Amino acid sequence: MPGFVTKPEPVRVPGLVHLHTGKVRDLYRNEAGELVLVATDRISAYDWVLPTEIPDKGRILTRLSLWWFDQLADLVPGHIISTDVPEGAPADWEGRVMVAHALEMIPVEAVARGYLTGSGLQEYERDRTVCGLALPPGLVDGSELPAPIFTPATKAAVGEHDENVSYEEVARQVGAETAAQLRQTTLAVYGRARDVARDRGIILADTKFEFGRKPGADQLILADEVLTPDSSRFWRKDEWEPGRPQKSYDKQILRDWLSSPASGWDRTGDTPPPELPQEVVDATRERYTEAYRLLTGTAWD
């Protein structure tokens, strides 16, 4: 069954309670009741958390998320309190930590799409819809949509797939008012991020957000990572060509290797994936650092 090839043991830190080991992040609670998110260098593909890490990946995701939280602050508040490393934590946590408010999370992946690809393309080719939303004929892989759409998904456990759901199903699960808030906020944040990225030569094809609320409050708060290559599909604007798969700033390089004869791995079987070769690790890291450089205008150091 997919999941971790080898699930890591939680790091023990005085004053922190380990809550969860995710695909990429480890989650703790401190004595003040705040959450401490630690971004590791783990990487996943085909529902497996791979045995090979990508150096600096966790720090890149953290710093890029913090940059985006600043870009979006006037649209929606973020969950960040500080980036201070807790006393007694390993030195390797430097640059990986986000101390955040403990929120009541909305159990929905808030997905926005501005371009047709991935699971949305598969549904469109079958039904001419995405998450039940009708789209015009004639669209192809990589086509820009007439307008961005909100296509929510259920949250999946490690080793399982997120599943697209209709807006009506979200309204049934969380209530009509919250569903409307989710859709409006998701599309507003996507629109801002799309324009920021476009000015830097990057197309934001689609992305997913997570939202929560402080206990007893109505305002949505943006949580977790934001607009990173792990949660978003970025393409170079000058390489965009509808009608074919686009080259993404993500882990497609390692996915291609895993699905190739070179890996010797059968992704449809029960055998865990193998270690990644160094050239695949290096090429994947380069895609993450290039995305960071192009979006922020600052070279990764």
Side-chain angles (χ1 to χ4, degrees):
M1 179 179 176
F4 289 91
V5 173
T6 303
K7 189 170 183 177
E9 288 294 322
V11 176
R12 304 298 178 185
V13 178
L16 297 187
V17 176
H18 176 259
L19 300 177
H20 179 65
T21 298
K23 291 180 181 179
V24 173
R25 285 172 179 76
D26 294 331
L27 182 62
Y28 298 82
R29 183 177 60 242
N30 64 20
E31 293 174 333
E34 301 158 343
L35 297 182
V36 179
L37 295 84
V38 184
T40 73
D41 291 338
R42 296 192 294 265
I43 195 164
S44 65
Y46 300 119
D47 299 320
W48 284 96
V49 180
L50 303 182
T52 311
E53 296 186 341
I54 306 299
D56 285 331
K57 176 175 172 284
R59 292 189 175 92
I60 295 168
L61 296 184
T62 300
R63 197 184 299 178
L64 185 56
S65 290
L66 294 170
W67 184 83
W68 276 114
F69 277 121
D70 285 344
Q71 308 301 310
L72 304 169
D74 62 314
L75 290 180
V76 60
H79 68 153
I80 302 298
I81 297 172
S82 79
T83 57
D84 297 338
V85 177
E87 186 175 349
D92 184 61
W93 280 19
E94 185 66 43
R96 302 178 183 276
V97 169
M98 292 191 295
V99 181
H101 294 286
L103 304 175
E104 295 176 349
M105 298 302 296
I106 310 294
V108 173
E109 294 278 4
V111 180
R113 301 175 191 266
Y115 293 75
L116 186 64
T117 193
S119 63
L121 175 65
Q122 294 172 9
E123 181 184 334
Y124 173 80
E125 290 178 337
R126 184 180 65 246
D127 302 325
R128 291 295 183 264
T129 62
V130 177
C131 287
L133 298 173
L135 293 176
L139 302 179
V140 296
D141 193 354
S143 288
E144 185 173 9
L145 300 177
I149 56 176
F150 175 62
T151 59
T154 58
K155 292 183 180 181
V158 174
E160 298 180 6
H161 285 293
D162 292 346
E163 291 189 7
N164 294 342
V165 294
S166 68
Y167 178 78
E168 290 73 21
E169 176 61 20
V170 172
R172 188 190 69 79
Q173 290 185 18
V174 303
E177 184 175 348
T178 295
Q181 275 187 292
L182 276 178
R183 179 168 60 185
Q184 180 181 5
T185 306
T186 297
L187 293 177
V189 173
Y190 172 81
R192 168 70 61 80
R194 174 203 58 199
D195 294 346
V196 169
R198 185 178 289 162
D199 288 345
R200 290 157 170 78
I202 297 291
I203 288 174
L204 175 59
D206 54 48
T207 189
K208 63 180 179 180
F209 303 114
E210 293 197 31
F211 294 97
R213 293 188 177 105
K214 293 181 180 180
D218 293 329
Q219 185 178 39
L220 290 180
I221 295 178
L222 189 57
D224 200 44
E225 67 177 302
V226 180
L227 293 157
T228 72
D230 273 17
S231 64
S232 312
R233 208 182 312 254
F234 295 114
W235 302 329
R236 279 194 76 114
K237 188 166 66 173
D238 59 7
E239 295 177 349
W240 173 54
E241 185 181 332
R244 61 167 177 81
Q246 313 299 312
K247 184 179 178 182
S248 298
Y249 283 101
D250 59 10
K251 50 195 172 187
Q252 192 59 47
I253 291 170
L254 66 85
R255 289 170 62 90
D256 290 345
W257 182 81
L258 285 169
S259 60
S260 74
S263 73
W265 181 56
D266 178 9
R267 55 174 287 209
T268 65
D270 296 328
T271 305
E275 295 276 357
L276 300 175
Q278 190 61 47
E279 61 268 22
V280 173
V281 172
D282 292 343
T284 302
R285 182 183 184 276
E286 185 177 349
R287 294 299 284 173
Y288 278 86
T289 58
E290 185 178 357
Y292 177 86
R293 176 182 62 81
L294 290 173
L295 287 167
T296 68
T298 305
W300 178 256
D301 49 22

mmCIF file with all atom_site columns, all heavy atoms in Angstrom, residues 9 24 52 61-62 67 93 103 140 165 167 181 215 220 228 285 299:
data_model
loop_
_atom_site.group_PDB
_atom_site.id
_atom_site.type_symbol
_atom_site.label_atom_id
_atom_site.label_alt_id
_atom_site.label_comp_id
_atom_site.label_asym_id
_atom_site.label_entity_id
_atom_site.label_seq_id
_atom_site.pdbx_PDB_ins_code
_atom_site.Cartn_x
_atom_site.Cartn_y
_atom_site.Cartn_z
_atom_site.occupancy
_atom_site.B_iso_or_equiv
_atom_site.pdbx_formal_charge
_atom_site.auth_seq_id
_atom_site.auth_comp_id
_atom_site.auth_asym_id
_atom_site.auth_atom_id
_atom_site.pdbx_PDB_model_num
ATOM 1   N N   . GLU A 1 9   ? 10.972  8.691  12.398  1.00 0.00 ? 9   GLU A N   1
ATOM 2   C CA  . GLU A 1 9   ? 10.596  8.883  13.790  1.00 0.00 ? 9   GLU A CA  1
ATOM 3   C C   . GLU A 1 9   ? 10.523  10.377 14.097  1.00 0.00 ? 9   GLU A C   1
ATOM 4   O O   . GLU A 1 9   ? 11.362  11.150 13.631  1.00 0.00 ? 9   GLU A O   1
ATOM 5   C CB  . GLU A 1 9   ? 11.611  8.218  14.711  1.00 0.00 ? 9   GLU A CB  1
ATOM 6   C CG  . GLU A 1 9   ? 11.562  6.699  14.708  1.00 0.00 ? 9   GLU A CG  1
ATOM 7   C CD  . GLU A 1 9   ? 10.255  6.176  15.284  1.00 0.00 ? 9   GLU A CD  1
ATOM 8   O OE1 . GLU A 1 9   ? 9.751   6.769  16.269  1.00 0.00 ? 9   GLU A OE1 1
ATOM 9   O OE2 . GLU A 1 9   ? 9.722   5.205  14.726  1.00 0.00 ? 9   GLU A OE2 1
ATOM 10  N N   . VAL A 1 24  ? 5.385   15.999 3.753   1.00 0.00 ? 24  VAL A N   1
ATOM 11  C CA  . VAL A 1 24  ? 6.505   16.941 3.697   1.00 0.00 ? 24  VAL A CA  1
ATOM 12  C C   . VAL A 1 24  ? 6.749   17.596 5.046   1.00 0.00 ? 24  VAL A C   1
ATOM 13  O O   . VAL A 1 24  ? 7.897   17.804 5.439   1.00 0.00 ? 24  VAL A O   1
ATOM 14  C CB  . VAL A 1 24  ? 6.240   18.029 2.631   1.00 0.00 ? 24  VAL A CB  1
ATOM 15  C CG1 . VAL A 1 24  ? 7.302   19.111 2.665   1.00 0.00 ? 24  VAL A CG1 1
ATOM 16  C CG2 . VAL A 1 24  ? 6.160   17.404 1.246   1.00 0.00 ? 24  VAL A CG2 1
ATOM 17  N N   . THR A 1 52  ? 14.357  9.092  -0.992  1.00 0.00 ? 52  THR A N   1
ATOM 18  C CA  . THR A 1 52  ? 15.405  10.084 -1.245  1.00 0.00 ? 52  THR A CA  1
ATOM 19  C C   . THR A 1 52  ? 14.865  11.481 -1.002  1.00 0.00 ? 52  THR A C   1
ATOM 20  O O   . THR A 1 52  ? 13.757  11.807 -1.434  1.00 0.00 ? 52  THR A O   1
ATOM 21  C CB  . THR A 1 52  ? 15.902  9.988  -2.703  1.00 0.00 ? 52  THR A CB  1
ATOM 22  O OG1 . THR A 1 52  ? 16.189  8.628  -3.018  1.00 0.00 ? 52  THR A OG1 1
ATOM 23  C CG2 . THR A 1 52  ? 17.150  10.838 -2.906  1.00 0.00 ? 52  THR A CG2 1
ATOM 24  N N   . LEU A 1 61  ? 10.513  25.896 0.245   1.00 0.00 ? 61  LEU A N   1
ATOM 25  C CA  . LEU A 1 61  ? 9.062   25.978 0.396   1.00 0.00 ? 61  LEU A CA  1
ATOM 26  C C   . LEU A 1 61  ? 8.675   26.968 1.487   1.00 0.00 ? 61  LEU A C   1
ATOM 27  O O   . LEU A 1 61  ? 7.719   27.743 1.332   1.00 0.00 ? 61  LEU A O   1
ATOM 28  C CB  . LEU A 1 61  ? 8.485   24.608 0.731   1.00 0.00 ? 61  LEU A CB  1
ATOM 29  C CG  . LEU A 1 61  ? 8.625   23.495 -0.307  1.00 0.00 ? 61  LEU A CG  1
ATOM 30  C CD1 . LEU A 1 61  ? 7.906   22.231 0.169   1.00 0.00 ? 61  LEU A CD1 1
ATOM 31  C CD2 . LEU A 1 61  ? 8.088   23.914 -1.661  1.00 0.00 ? 61  LEU A CD2 1
ATOM 32  N N   . THR A 1 62  ? 9.416   26.948 2.587   1.00 0.00 ? 62  THR A N   1
ATOM 33  C CA  . THR A 1 62  ? 9.100   27.845 3.702   1.00 0.00 ? 62  THR A CA  1
ATOM 34  C C   . THR A 1 62  ? 9.322   29.300 3.306   1.00 0.00 ? 62  THR A C   1
ATOM 35  O O   . THR A 1 62  ? 8.447   30.152 3.515   1.00 0.00 ? 62  THR A O   1
ATOM 36  C CB  . THR A 1 62  ? 9.957   27.499 4.926   1.00 0.00 ? 62  THR A CB  1
ATOM 37  O OG1 . THR A 1 62  ? 9.683   26.144 5.319   1.00 0.00 ? 62  THR A OG1 1
ATOM 38  C CG2 . THR A 1 62  ? 9.671   28.430 6.088   1.00 0.00 ? 62  THR A CG2 1
ATOM 39  N N   . TRP A 1 67  ? 7.105   34.620 1.556   1.00 0.00 ? 67  TRP A N   1
ATOM 40  C CA  . TRP A 1 67  ? 7.079   35.703 0.561   1.00 0.00 ? 67  TRP A CA  1
ATOM 41  C C   . TRP A 1 67  ? 5.655   35.894 0.031   1.00 0.00 ? 67  TRP A C   1
ATOM 42  O O   . TRP A 1 67  ? 5.174   37.031 -0.073  1.00 0.00 ? 67  TRP A O   1
ATOM 43  C CB  . TRP A 1 67  ? 8.038   35.360 -0.587  1.00 0.00 ? 67  TRP A CB  1
ATOM 44  C CG  . TRP A 1 67  ? 8.172   36.438 -1.621  1.00 0.00 ? 67  TRP A CG  1
ATOM 45  C CD1 . TRP A 1 67  ? 8.985   37.527 -1.566  1.00 0.00 ? 67  TRP A CD1 1
ATOM 46  C CD2 . TRP A 1 67  ? 7.460   36.527 -2.862  1.00 0.00 ? 67  TRP A CD2 1
ATOM 47  N NE1 . TRP A 1 67  ? 8.831   38.294 -2.704  1.00 0.00 ? 67  TRP A NE1 1
ATOM 48  C CE2 . TRP A 1 67  ? 7.905   37.700 -3.510  1.00 0.00 ? 67  TRP A CE2 1
ATOM 49  C CE3 . TRP A 1 67  ? 6.500   35.724 -3.480  1.00 0.00 ? 67  TRP A CE3 1
ATOM 50  C CZ2 . TRP A 1 67  ? 7.413   38.080 -4.762  1.00 0.00 ? 67  TRP A CZ2 1
ATOM 51  C CZ3 . TRP A 1 67  ? 6.007   36.106 -4.722  1.00 0.00 ? 67  TRP A CZ3 1
ATOM 52  C CH2 . TRP A 1 67  ? 6.462   37.276 -5.353  1.00 0.00 ? 67  TRP A CH2 1
ATOM 53  N N   . TRP A 1 93  ? 16.625  22.711 11.814  1.00 0.00 ? 93  TRP A N   1
ATOM 54  C CA  . TRP A 1 93  ? 15.297  23.322 11.689  1.00 0.00 ? 93  TRP A CA  1
ATOM 55  C C   . TRP A 1 93  ? 15.370  24.784 11.264  1.00 0.00 ? 93  TRP A C   1
ATOM 56  O O   . TRP A 1 93  ? 14.344  25.360 10.880  1.00 0.00 ? 93  TRP A O   1
ATOM 57  C CB  . TRP A 1 93  ? 14.553  23.221 13.026  1.00 0.00 ? 93  TRP A CB  1
ATOM 58  C CG  . TRP A 1 93  ? 13.936  21.884 13.284  1.00 0.00 ? 93  TRP A CG  1
ATOM 59  C CD1 . TRP A 1 93  ? 14.252  20.698 12.686  1.00 0.00 ? 93  TRP A CD1 1
ATOM 60  C CD2 . TRP A 1 93  ? 12.882  21.599 14.206  1.00 0.00 ? 93  TRP A CD2 1
ATOM 61  N NE1 . TRP A 1 93  ? 13.476  19.690 13.183  1.00 0.00 ? 93  TRP A NE1 1
ATOM 62  C CE2 . TRP A 1 93  ? 12.624  20.212 14.120  1.00 0.00 ? 93  TRP A CE2 1
ATOM 63  C CE3 . TRP A 1 93  ? 12.153  22.373 15.108  1.00 0.00 ? 93  TRP A CE3 1
ATOM 64  C CZ2 . TRP A 1 93  ? 11.645  19.590 14.901  1.00 0.00 ? 93  TRP A CZ2 1
ATOM 65  C CZ3 . TRP A 1 93  ? 11.187  21.757 15.884  1.00 0.00 ? 93  TRP A CZ3 1
ATOM 66  C CH2 . TRP A 1 93  ? 10.933  20.385 15.775  1.00 0.00 ? 93  TRP A CH2 1
ATOM 67  N N   . LEU A 1 103 ? -5.786  26.648 14.213  1.00 0.00 ? 103 LEU A N   1
ATOM 68  C CA  . LEU A 1 103 ? -7.059  27.009 13.593  1.00 0.00 ? 103 LEU A CA  1
ATOM 69  C C   . LEU A 1 103 ? -8.003  25.811 13.555  1.00 0.00 ? 103 LEU A C   1
ATOM 70  O O   . LEU A 1 103 ? -7.568  24.658 13.610  1.00 0.00 ? 103 LEU A O   1
ATOM 71  C CB  . LEU A 1 103 ? -6.827  27.497 12.160  1.00 0.00 ? 103 LEU A CB  1
ATOM 72  C CG  . LEU A 1 103 ? -5.852  28.654 11.968  1.00 0.00 ? 103 LEU A CG  1
ATOM 73  C CD1 . LEU A 1 103 ? -5.659  28.918 10.472  1.00 0.00 ? 103 LEU A CD1 1
ATOM 74  C CD2 . LEU A 1 103 ? -6.341  29.908 12.674  1.00 0.00 ? 103 LEU A CD2 1
ATOM 75  N N   . VAL A 1 140 ? -7.811  22.332 -25.053 1.00 0.00 ? 140 VAL A N   1
ATOM 76  C CA  . VAL A 1 140 ? -6.798  21.277 -25.115 1.00 0.00 ? 140 VAL A CA  1
ATOM 77  C C   . VAL A 1 140 ? -5.899  21.385 -23.889 1.00 0.00 ? 140 VAL A C   1
ATOM 78  O O   . VAL A 1 140 ? -6.054  22.294 -23.059 1.00 0.00 ? 140 VAL A O   1
ATOM 79  C CB  . VAL A 1 140 ? -5.956  21.382 -26.411 1.00 0.00 ? 140 VAL A CB  1
ATOM 80  C CG1 . VAL A 1 140 ? -6.826  21.159 -27.641 1.00 0.00 ? 140 VAL A CG1 1
ATOM 81  C CG2 . VAL A 1 140 ? -5.264  22.746 -26.493 1.00 0.00 ? 140 VAL A CG2 1
ATOM 82  N N   . VAL A 1 165 ? -14.438 17.273 -5.968  1.00 0.00 ? 165 VAL A N   1
ATOM 83  C CA  . VAL A 1 165 ? -15.858 17.227 -5.593  1.00 0.00 ? 165 VAL A CA  1
ATOM 84  C C   . VAL A 1 165 ? -16.539 18.471 -6.156  1.00 0.00 ? 165 VAL A C   1
ATOM 85  O O   . VAL A 1 165 ? -15.892 19.453 -6.495  1.00 0.00 ? 165 VAL A O   1
ATOM 86  C CB  . VAL A 1 165 ? -16.052 17.169 -4.058  1.00 0.00 ? 165 VAL A CB  1
ATOM 87  C CG1 . VAL A 1 165 ? -15.514 15.860 -3.500  1.00 0.00 ? 165 VAL A CG1 1
ATOM 88  C CG2 . VAL A 1 165 ? -15.400 18.357 -3.377  1.00 0.00 ? 165 VAL A CG2 1
ATOM 89  N N   . TYR A 1 167 ? -19.029 21.855 -6.138  1.00 0.00 ? 167 TYR A N   1
ATOM 90  C CA  . TYR A 1 167 ? -19.297 22.951 -5.211  1.00 0.00 ? 167 TYR A CA  1
ATOM 91  C C   . TYR A 1 167 ? -20.492 22.626 -4.328  1.00 0.00 ? 167 TYR A C   1
ATOM 92  O O   . TYR A 1 167 ? -20.506 22.938 -3.128  1.00 0.00 ? 167 TYR A O   1
ATOM 93  C CB  . TYR A 1 167 ? -19.557 24.240 -6.000  1.00 0.00 ? 167 TYR A CB  1
ATOM 94  C CG  . TYR A 1 167 ? -19.902 25.422 -5.131  1.00 0.00 ? 167 TYR A CG  1
ATOM 95  C CD1 . TYR A 1 167 ? -18.907 26.118 -4.448  1.00 0.00 ? 167 TYR A CD1 1
ATOM 96  C CD2 . TYR A 1 167 ? -21.219 25.838 -4.991  1.00 0.00 ? 167 TYR A CD2 1
ATOM 97  C CE1 . TYR A 1 167 ? -19.217 27.201 -3.647  1.00 0.00 ? 167 TYR A CE1 1
ATOM 98  C CE2 . TYR A 1 167 ? -21.544 26.922 -4.192  1.00 0.00 ? 167 TYR A CE2 1
ATOM 99  C CZ  . TYR A 1 167 ? -20.535 27.607 -3.523  1.00 0.00 ? 167 TYR A CZ  1
ATOM 100 O OH  . TYR A 1 167 ? -20.852 28.678 -2.723  1.00 0.00 ? 167 TYR A OH  1
ATOM 101 N N   . GLN A 1 181 ? -17.741 31.685 0.865   1.00 0.00 ? 181 GLN A N   1
ATOM 102 C CA  . GLN A 1 181 ? -16.514 32.362 1.303   1.00 0.00 ? 181 GLN A CA  1
ATOM 103 C C   . GLN A 1 181 ? -15.278 31.706 0.710   1.00 0.00 ? 181 GLN A C   1
ATOM 104 O O   . GLN A 1 181 ? -14.354 32.388 0.246   1.00 0.00 ? 181 GLN A O   1
ATOM 105 C CB  . GLN A 1 181 ? -16.414 32.329 2.830   1.00 0.00 ? 181 GLN A CB  1
ATOM 106 C CG  . GLN A 1 181 ? -17.135 33.426 3.567   1.00 0.00 ? 181 GLN A CG  1
ATOM 107 C CD  . GLN A 1 181 ? -16.800 33.372 5.047   1.00 0.00 ? 181 GLN A CD  1
ATOM 108 O OE1 . GLN A 1 181 ? -17.181 32.441 5.768   1.00 0.00 ? 181 GLN A OE1 1
ATOM 109 N NE2 . GLN A 1 181 ? -16.066 34.358 5.516   1.00 0.00 ? 181 GLN A NE2 1
ATOM 110 N N   . PRO A 1 215 ? -10.974 29.838 16.603  1.00 0.00 ? 215 PRO A N   1
ATOM 111 C CA  . PRO A 1 215 ? -12.202 29.367 17.271  1.00 0.00 ? 215 PRO A CA  1
ATOM 112 C C   . PRO A 1 215 ? -13.181 30.499 17.542  1.00 0.00 ? 215 PRO A C   1
ATOM 113 O O   . PRO A 1 215 ? -12.816 31.547 18.076  1.00 0.00 ? 215 PRO A O   1
ATOM 114 C CB  . PRO A 1 215 ? -11.665 28.767 18.575  1.00 0.00 ? 215 PRO A CB  1
ATOM 115 C CG  . PRO A 1 215 ? -10.282 28.324 18.234  1.00 0.00 ? 215 PRO A CG  1
ATOM 116 C CD  . PRO A 1 215 ? -9.751  29.356 17.270  1.00 0.00 ? 215 PRO A CD  1
ATOM 117 N N   . LEU A 1 220 ? -11.941 33.824 7.341   1.00 0.00 ? 220 LEU A N   1
ATOM 118 C CA  . LEU A 1 220 ? -11.054 32.773 6.860   1.00 0.00 ? 220 LEU A CA  1
ATOM 119 C C   . LEU A 1 220 ? -9.605  33.222 6.995   1.00 0.00 ? 220 LEU A C   1
ATOM 120 O O   . LEU A 1 220 ? -9.276  34.398 6.775   1.00 0.00 ? 220 LEU A O   1
ATOM 121 C CB  . LEU A 1 220 ? -11.345 32.458 5.392   1.00 0.00 ? 220 LEU A CB  1
ATOM 122 C CG  . LEU A 1 220 ? -12.670 31.763 5.070   1.00 0.00 ? 220 LEU A CG  1
ATOM 123 C CD1 . LEU A 1 220 ? -12.778 31.537 3.567   1.00 0.00 ? 220 LEU A CD1 1
ATOM 124 C CD2 . LEU A 1 220 ? -12.790 30.444 5.818   1.00 0.00 ? 220 LEU A CD2 1
ATOM 125 N N   . THR A 1 228 ? 3.578   27.311 -3.601  1.00 0.00 ? 228 THR A N   1
ATOM 126 C CA  . THR A 1 228 ? 4.895   26.705 -3.825  1.00 0.00 ? 228 THR A CA  1
ATOM 127 C C   . THR A 1 228 ? 4.796   25.705 -4.980  1.00 0.00 ? 228 THR A C   1
ATOM 128 O O   . THR A 1 228 ? 3.695   25.327 -5.392  1.00 0.00 ? 228 THR A O   1
ATOM 129 C CB  . THR A 1 228 ? 5.381   25.967 -2.578  1.00 0.00 ? 228 THR A CB  1
ATOM 130 O OG1 . THR A 1 228 ? 4.593   24.767 -2.417  1.00 0.00 ? 228 THR A OG1 1
ATOM 131 C CG2 . THR A 1 228 ? 5.264   26.829 -1.332  1.00 0.00 ? 228 THR A CG2 1
ATOM 132 N N   . ARG A 1 285 ? 16.027  19.673 -7.622  1.00 0.00 ? 285 ARG A N   1
ATOM 133 C CA  . ARG A 1 285 ? 16.375  20.817 -6.772  1.00 0.00 ? 285 ARG A CA  1
ATOM 134 C C   . ARG A 1 285 ? 16.514  22.085 -7.603  1.00 0.00 ? 285 ARG A C   1
ATOM 135 O O   . ARG A 1 285 ? 16.071  23.172 -7.198  1.00 0.00 ? 285 ARG A O   1
ATOM 136 C CB  . ARG A 1 285 ? 17.672  20.551 -6.010  1.00 0.00 ? 285 ARG A CB  1
ATOM 137 C CG  . ARG A 1 285 ? 18.078  21.687 -5.075  1.00 0.00 ? 285 ARG A CG  1
ATOM 138 C CD  . ARG A 1 285 ? 19.419  21.386 -4.406  1.00 0.00 ? 285 ARG A CD  1
ATOM 139 N NE  . ARG A 1 285 ? 19.775  22.424 -3.451  1.00 0.00 ? 285 ARG A NE  1
ATOM 140 C CZ  . ARG A 1 285 ? 20.371  23.574 -3.766  1.00 0.00 ? 285 ARG A CZ  1
ATOM 141 N NH1 . ARG A 1 285 ? 20.667  23.842 -5.049  1.00 0.00 ? 285 ARG A NH1 1
ATOM 142 N NH2 . ARG A 1 285 ? 20.660  24.470 -2.840  1.00 0.00 ? 285 ARG A NH2 1
ATOM 143 N N   . ALA A 1 299 ? 18.002  35.298 -5.897  1.00 0.00 ? 299 ALA A N   1
ATOM 144 C CA  . ALA A 1 299 ? 18.619  33.987 -6.090  1.00 0.00 ? 299 ALA A CA  1
ATOM 145 C C   . ALA A 1 299 ? 18.587  33.191 -4.788  1.00 0.00 ? 299 ALA A C   1
ATOM 146 O O   . ALA A 1 299 ? 18.720  33.771 -3.692  1.00 0.00 ? 299 ALA A O   1
ATOM 147 C CB  . ALA A 1 299 ? 20.059  34.152 -6.575  1.00 0.00 ? 299 ALA A CB  1
#
